Amino acid sequence: MKLYGAQPIRLTGELDYGLLWLTCGLLGFGLVMVYSASLPTAEAARFTHYNGYYYLIRQSVFVALGAAAAVAVFQIPMRTWQQFAPYLFLAGLSLLAVVLIPGIGKKVYGSQRWISLGFANLQPSEFMKLLAVLYAADYTTRKAAFMNDLKKGFLPMAGVMLATGALLLLEPDFGAFVVIVCIAMGILFLGGLNWRVFAVLVVVLIIGFAVLIVTSPYRMQRVLGFMNPWADPYGRGYQLAHALIAFGRGSWTGLGLGDSIEKLFYLPEAQTDFLMAVIAEELGFVGVLAVVLLFSWLIAKAFLIGRRAARLERHFSALTAQGLAIWLGVQGGINIGVNMGLLPTKGLTMPFLSFGGSGIVANCIAVGFLLRIDWEHRQMMRGKTF
């Protein structure tokens, strides 16, 4: 059996160029909006080493690194990724533990989520989402015969997710924990988990998340601020209040690219968590709708790639593609919901758009996997095997 991918691949007519150009479009639009949203912050910090192009240059470097990583991932057969999925997941867990070690993990705004590499900060939780997709897809494929058995099918995965969640909550990174749980549950369900068991588990998870919120003062403050941001617009409701102002000011067509007022030190994290609010203010409802449609198109293509793989009984590839769709869809949906005041504030960036090194590289790698799965499907339709 020949392993395609070990040698240079001839790409002419063999790639999903729609997915490729869609990704490039989102990344390019993200570069423009990151530059627009970050310009005031970068200009104000000129007395240090920053300049007006600081965030744009760094984001461009991250996109280039992500593209290189995606190309590297594309060269490796999915069968190989399946073989190494458990070991990669263990490596990810190790990084989550390392980030908690004083002197190694970097603390910002009270959260210890980063490892300083000198030229950039590594955020293990961003890559853990990707590794969770691979691990859950491999686990579900191996345990397909036990998906109706709570003890053999679900509990081992639950134990792994609890261990992952414990490390993430120590950082704390509640948002990443929610996304990873959604990934695991979604893949298990798509892999054949009994729907009654799934429904009960969803209820248990909702109760568990509620307990985590109620027992954590800072999470409770975020929920209270979300419920009525105008009750304390200069305190717990500050971020959401200014995000809503940005949406209101943008109206239908926006104030114009570069003309946002909220990014002038009113809206915190304008180039990361609240980039969608800047898009809304500058490009209006039309701009936000365009982003939502393009992003939804990408998610739909990922599910379609998974469906095609499933038809050829390539179960690991199918679940990986669908798991990537769940990851990107859930995280993007939460980010948009937070910006619009539909969900409590969480530190989750908008995939492909928001500023951030680890997130952008992980997103690009996800596209590399989708392109690889689609490419293998095209080869198998021609009679080739892997």
Side-chain angles (χ1 to χ4, degrees):
M1 183 176 292
K2 187 176 181 180
L3 294 180
Y4 288 89
Q7 298 177 352
I9 296 170
R10 302 176 65 180
L11 301 179
T12 305
E14 297 183 347
L15 281 182
D16 185 340
Y17 284 100
L19 173 61
L20 186 59
W21 285 113
L22 178 58
T23 303
C24 291
L26 286 170
L27 290 171
F29 180 70
L31 283 172
V32 173
M33 294 312 304
V34 163
Y35 174 58
S36 177
S38 66
L39 185 58
T41 303
E43 287 284 353
R46 270 192 168 181
F47 62 89
T48 59
H49 62 285
Y50 290 11
N51 60 62
Y53 298 98
Y54 175 79
Y55 290 99
L56 174 62
I57 293 172
R58 290 182 67 83
Q59 187 76 343
S60 299
V61 171
F62 296 147
V63 169
L65 290 174
V71 171
V73 164
F74 180 83
Q75 301 299 318
I76 302 173
M78 291 304 298
R79 188 178 69 174
T80 302
W81 286 112
Q82 182 176 8
Q83 292 171 348
F84 285 94
Y87 306 106
L88 291 171
F89 188 80
L90 287 174
L93 281 179
S94 300
L95 284 177
L96 289 182
V98 169
V99 80
L100 299 173
I101 299 175
I104 297 180
K106 183 178 180 180
K107 183 174 288 189
V108 179
Y109 299 132
S111 296
Q112 192 163 321
R113 304 175 184 175
W114 299 268
I115 299 174
S116 178
L117 302 178
F119 63 94
N121 294 321
L122 173 68
Q123 188 173 355
S125 60
E126 289 293 339
F127 294 100
M128 199 62 191
K129 299 167 190 173
L130 176 64
L131 299 179
V133 170
L134 296 176
Y135 177 78
D138 171 58
Y139 175 89
T140 306
T141 301
R142 288 187 288 107
K143 298 282 187 176
F146 303 106
M147 283 296 104
N148 287 321
D149 189 322
L150 179 64
K151 182 177 179 181
K152 294 182 179 180
F154 174 75
L155 290 183
M157 173 63 79
V160 172
M161 290 301 106
L162 286 174
T164 305
L167 292 172
L168 288 170
L169 293 176
L170 287 173
E171 294 184 5
D173 195 344
F174 184 68
F177 179 43
V178 171
V179 172
I180 288 176
V181 168
C182 289
I183 290 169
M185 291 295 295
I187 290 178
L188 285 174
F189 179 73
L190 293 171
L193 183 67
N194 184 282
W195 72 268
R196 294 184 180 86
V197 174
F198 180 80
V200 172
L201 293 174
V202 169
V203 173
V204 172
L205 284 173
I206 292 174
I207 295 173
F209 287 145
V211 171
L212 287 173
I213 292 171
V214 172
T215 56
S216 173
Y218 90 92
R219 293 193 190 105
M220 195 64 191
Q221 290 299 313
R222 285 189 171 185
V223 171
L224 293 175
F226 151 73
M227 294 176 66
N228 187 8
W230 308 111
D232 187 12
Y234 298 104
R236 65 193 183 195
Y238 182 81
Q239 288 177 305
L240 179 54
H242 282 279
L244 293 176
I245 291 172
F247 270 85
R249 285 175 54 82
S251 189
W252 288 98
T253 57
L255 303 176
L257 184 62
D259 290 337
S260 168
I261 300 299
E262 286 301 315
K263 69 184 181 184
L264 302 177
F265 310 106
Y266 295 105
L267 185 62
E269 307 298 334
Q271 70 273 13
T272 54
D273 299 352
F274 286 92
L275 184 65
M276 284 298 296
V278 177
I279 293 173
E281 188 176 7
E282 295 189 349
L283 304 180
F285 173 78
V286 173
V288 172
L289 180 62
V291 171
V292 171
L293 290 177
L294 289 174
F295 197 73
S296 299
W297 186 13
L298 187 146
I299 302 304
K301 287 185 75 67
F303 274 117
L304 179 60
I305 289 172
R307 182 182 178 185
R308 289 171 178 168
R311 287 176 177 173
L312 294 178
E313 297 185 351
R314 298 170 57 230
H315 302 299
F316 172 74
S317 294
L319 291 173
T320 296
Q322 293 165 343
L324 292 172
I326 292 170
W327 161 32
L328 298 173
V330 168
Q331 182 164 331
I334 291 175
N335 179 270
I336 294 173
V338 166
N339 277 257
M340 295 179 65
L342 302 176
L343 294 170
T345 303
K346 284 308 308 163
L348 288 173
T349 57
M350 185 65 185
F352 302 103
L353 299 182
S354 297
F355 176 79
S358 299
I360 287 294
V361 173
N363 297 157
C364 290
I365 291 175
V367 174
F369 275 113
L370 291 174
L371 289 171
R372 177 72 201 193
I373 293 168
D374 178 74
W375 182 83
E376 289 188 2
H377 171 265
R378 294 169 188 251
Q379 300 307 303
M380 293 187 72
M381 293 299 291
R382 296 178 181 180
K384 299 179 181 179
T385 56
F386 296 83

